[in-house]
Amino acid sequence: MTDTDNTATLLKYFPTLSSSQLEAFARMDSLYADWNSKINVVSRADIGNLFSRHILHSLAIAAFFGELAPGTEIMDLGTGGGFPGIPLAVMYPHCRFHLIDRIGKKIKVASEIAASLDLKNVTFQHGDAGECHKKFDYVVSRAVMSLDGLVKIAVRNTLRSTPRKNRYSPGLVCLKGGNLEEEIAAAGDRPVIEIPVTDFFNEDCFDTKEIVYVPL
């Protein structure tokens, strides 16, 4: 897809995006391609599909959230090269994002790309989530670990209550694929809400993808 096609797709699903937001999304392709040639954070076979498989996929969480109140704080657990955190930070400039990953070179790429995009609402942490003692409105994640592991971390790092008026109460929001029955069973008695990404995006590449929300 061309930059024009990508912009048209973004406006199809998010018609209120500003020109500066659209420019930031357009720049991600070349920024990631350049950094990926030096430090491999996206599969080399996948870098040509960065928009659909990484940027737009990450924005499924934004489609789920809808509007977020100013000051909402979000941890991106296992961010890798910055997904879903960086696309979400562009989408929500009035919210704050903390991106964590155990692999230092991935955090380096994500931080350099955030700097190139002049994102002021993103912080980074190289290390384990257990080393982060902050509380967040939401923990988000994409293809990092099983649901039971994510829930344990989110319980520790998510606010139990918040005065912010968001559509969803504090909790875990993650992107998953495939059959999730065993993962959900292993996550215990907490309510788990599954929403197909195709409820938000009419794109064939998301046929097997789901948003999983666990209110905490």
Side-chain angles (χ1 to χ4, degrees):
M1 294 177 72
T2 66
D3 287 346
T4 301
D5 292 333
N6 294 344
T7 296
T9 299
L10 285 169
L11 289 173
K12 173 183 174 182
Y13 297 118
F14 304 101
T16 62
L17 284 171
S18 69
S19 58
S20 61
Q21 287 173 307
L22 292 169
E23 180 184 358
F25 286 123
R27 291 185 60 204
M28 284 184 200
D29 262 329
S30 60
L31 287 170
Y32 274 102
D34 180 53
W35 273 104
N36 215 55
S37 67
K38 303 174 232 180
I39 300 174
N40 189 20
V41 294
V42 175
S43 163
R44 300 204 186 277
D46 215 20
I47 193 68
N49 298 305
L50 185 82
F51 176 78
S52 60
R53 296 185 183 175
H54 297 276
I55 298 172
L56 190 61
H57 190 211
S58 296
L59 292 178
I61 292 177
F64 167 77
F65 276 143
E67 293 294 324
L68 286 177
T72 296
E73 297 198 65
I74 298 173
M75 173 202 279
D76 177 3
L77 175 63
T79 189
F83 299 106
I86 287 179
L88 290 175
V90 173
M91 181 65 67
Y92 296 109
H94 55 287
C95 299
R96 294 188 288 271
F97 294 83
H98 187 62
L99 280 54
I100 298 178
D101 202 277
R102 293 177 178 176
I103 301 176
K105 67 179 182 179
K106 293 187 176 183
I107 284 291
K108 174 178 173 59
V109 171
S111 62
E112 291 287 348
I113 287 175
S116 295
L117 296 173
D118 198 29
L119 296 178
K120 307 295 188 186
N121 59 336
V122 187
T123 54
F124 298 89
Q125 179 181 332
H126 171 212
D128 190 271
E131 299 165 352
C132 179
H133 305 297
K134 282 193 65 176
K135 300 284 187 180
F136 301 85
D137 296 283
Y138 303 101
V139 173
V140 300
S141 192
R142 178 175 181 260
V144 171
M145 64 178 71
S146 63
L147 190 60
D148 58 330
L150 288 170
V151 167
K152 288 175 185 176
I153 292 170
V155 166
R156 183 180 65 236
N157 287 100
T158 304
L159 295 163
R160 300 283 76 76
S161 62
T162 174
R164 284 185 267 275
K165 294 182 179 180
N166 290 318
R167 180 184 301 173
Y168 297 100
S169 62
L172 168 70
V173 181
C174 56
L175 291 159
K176 289 277 188 181
N179 190 323
L180 301 177
E181 287 184 13
E182 290 186 7
E183 283 196 46
I184 290 172
D189 296 331
R190 296 183 182 277
V192 177
I193 299 168
E194 299 174 79
I195 305 173
V197 172
T198 50
D199 279 12
F200 304 108
F201 297 154
N202 184 26
E203 311 290 330
D204 292 342
C205 57
F206 299 131
D207 281 349
T208 63
K209 306 296 184 180
E210 291 189 341
I211 289 173
V212 178
Y213 167 54
V214 184
L216 301 172

